[in-house]
Amino acid sequence: MLWCFIVRPDITIGVSSSKSQTHFPFPYQPYSIQEQFMQALYGALDQGKVGIFESPTGTGKSLSLICGALSWLTDYEEKRRQEAAALLQEGEAALSTPTAQSSITSSSAEPDWITDFVQKKAERDLVSKLKEEELKRKKREERLEMIRNNIQLKYTMKRKEQTEELGGEEDEELIIAEYDSDDESKSKSMFHGAEDDDDDLVEEHVTKIYYCSRTHSQLAQFVHEVQKSPFSKDISLVTLGSRQNLCINEEVRRLGSIQRINDRCMEMQKNKHGEKKPHPEEGVKRKRGPAKTACPYNKVSALQQMRDEVLGTVHDIEQLLKLGKETHSCPYYATRLAIPPAQLVVLPYQMVLHEATRKAAGVQLKGQVVIIDEAHNLSDTLSCIYSAELTGAQVNTAKNLMYIKQILFVIEGLVRVLGGKVGQNPQSQTNQTGTNMFTINNFLFKAQIDNINLFKVLQKYFEKSMISRKVSCSVSVLLCAVSSADPQGSVETEKVLSASPMMQVEGFFMALTTSNTDGRVLLHKEGTLSESSIKFLLLNPAVHFAQVLKECRAVIIAGGTMQPVSDFKQELLFSAGVAEERITEFSCGHVIPAENILPLVLCSGPSGQELDFTFQNRDSPHMMDETGRILSNICNVVPGGVVCFFPSYEYSRRIISHWEASGVLARLANKKKVFQEPKKANQLEQVLSEFSRCIQVKVELSGLNGALLFSVVGGKMSEGINFSDELGRCVVMVGMPYPNIKSPELQEKMSYLDKHLPHSGGRSPGQALIENLCMKAVNQSIGRAIRHRGDYSSIVLCDRRYSRPATLSKLPTWIRDRTSTCTTFGPAFSALRKSGTQKKSSTADFFNLLNQITE
């Protein structure tokens, strides 16, 4: 994993310190590379450097990050306290000492007494401010301690209830009553709202670390690591998520799509302010349709109680849901209330990287630390987040809902540019198919909306009036009623339900305000207006990332491998204004012994057929048959699980169909049970469960030796799923997964890079992009196998092109240094057989080591 630290030199850190941390709290004796990692992490933050850190998956990196970063945060806060105390002491001493007569003649005509008065006033103001900050800090600490003590007492009484039949309920009520009956300034929460003297504390953000990753499962895994760390009892952590993940209102959850859930939630918030009667008790049958009800889980006192419990104890998403149900309060809103006083905030990518989402969530980056994990595709992630797409159906629906003149004029222009006619059914309007790419300015001219100031439209009609949200809520309620009346529903209705049109329109308008150089508009016409679309493509992700870098005290970019680092720095760091002298790099190897990994580049198969899976050659029957022979030989000598990655879903379908017809698939099934990556995401867990069970029981009764799983690079199994131990004793990569060079989006991106980035090493930035996309996908796939120190696996790269020095250089260092190139199949087969024989006898030992190091 790679950590990149970007520390702003213009922000002081309290008392400066050049010392390096020599001891880090850790749950067990750390490995040497973990100590080096934490030392380098601490130093990079302390010295204000831009650090690029590479640490492979399976090296205990999450705990190293947690313990290193939180050690720094603890020391940072202590330094600030020491500095404040020293300044306060100096200030009070200066105030108590009469001002000496100045011996220097002032150049101004001001009398000395005025100069003395101004100086004394500045000193008094500083002392007052320092005292105020110290008082606030003590209040925060005292209240947090009170919360933790009350939570501990409550949990103790709950445990007592489980063992004693009498008296438990009364005792718990007493404890809660004592907590709630404290004096008014402390009663409901650690930072009570507008009715007490500490109102300003509600908006005050303490120094914190924001940790973000791609998926909620990755965030949950990180929280579990924090719970295992020595900091678990002392850190205030809050986990943020979407309404879809955090909502506990079953009526709302049943709506399914995230947009419908968002719309219904906001509608209920609007109803809350106008509703005087209490919400009906649970169990009362409600009328269907747009019911004017407020959410029963959005009560101020309950939200404040839950916020306090969140800050007092570390919770993951599942624990937050349970806590929300127990306290009858909304986890979505309670966690947002907990952001300002929290020291560690765990949240999805979007809430940090997207400015509008960041502001809506109450995330403030100024002077804070941000960690972006799993960031090997950070550039693509940023481009995706800031891209926007509108279908003809959405444009037409928005037009029918919106009557504000300027917005209607722009929407009608979008209808025309898609080839449609205003006021007619988009499904009945036919089109000539085709795809065209425009600069932003040329698209505005094409749509005849170049005379509209989109900045003012967004500010006046969207930001101030929140019109997109209001219209979206009404649309959602209306369409829900339509959906209830028509259970079958139409595809058109379902599309609108899943994405409210005005929210999409607002996003597209915002995208069109991007600099003409940094974006493009792709106009795609299908057979009907309804199926046609307009898509905005962000070509320069650094323009938005620069804002994050500028606001934050430090930004940490993490990935198992970020190779090639030079291209990453050029596209996202240098282009965002980070200077070369502020960047330092650190890389460590893997904790596994050298003999536990066997990476092989295979240039030819068993029959001598050269392995060249270029687009022209890969569909050859000879190439497909040779691939089958390679897998058959591997399955003969490799025990447990073999995972085979194909470059695309289409090629996977073609080669498996060929094997079915030729009998190769049947022969493979006689050696290992064969599984295929499912097309539907909801089937993934079942396939993985059966694959795992088949290997663990070793299917001895059937005579099979493990299982073979066919997967796709960039698919559901190439990221985020671990094939540790027996599940992945060999990973086979068939061909090189280059992206579709004919894609208009990719061609435009290559052209942009060629124009704006320097050429190096005899290659253009556009060519480098193609190679990097391919090898990043390869690295993610082959990294699925080695997951901890006791693990072992073989990696077989089936394509002679992997032997090129430039390609080998893009493999992770710990793999590249151990890779052998085999021009013939014999030596590769011998190495695989020898490795399988030596390791097979000690498999049980490796299972015992499984839990020693976790991600």
Side-chain angles (χ1 to χ4, degrees), residues 612-627:
D612 187 1
F613 289 89
T614 57
F615 186 77
Q616 296 81 4
N617 298 333
R618 64 184 185 181
D619 286 331
S620 161
H622 295 294
M623 191 70 72
M624 291 182 175
D625 291 340
E626 192 75 341
T627 307

Side-chain angles (χ1 to χ4, degrees), residues 237-250:
L237 179 149
V238 58
T239 302
L240 303 183
S242 65
R243 287 182 176 90
Q244 191 174 38
N245 289 99
L246 288 175
C247 179
I248 58 173
N249 188 327
E250 289 302 324

Side-chain angles (χ1 to χ4, degrees), residues 421-435:
K421 295 181 180 179
V422 176
Q424 296 185 15
N425 188 336
Q427 291 179 293
S428 63
Q429 296 187 55
T430 58
N431 250 339
Q432 286 188 345
T433 60
T435 300

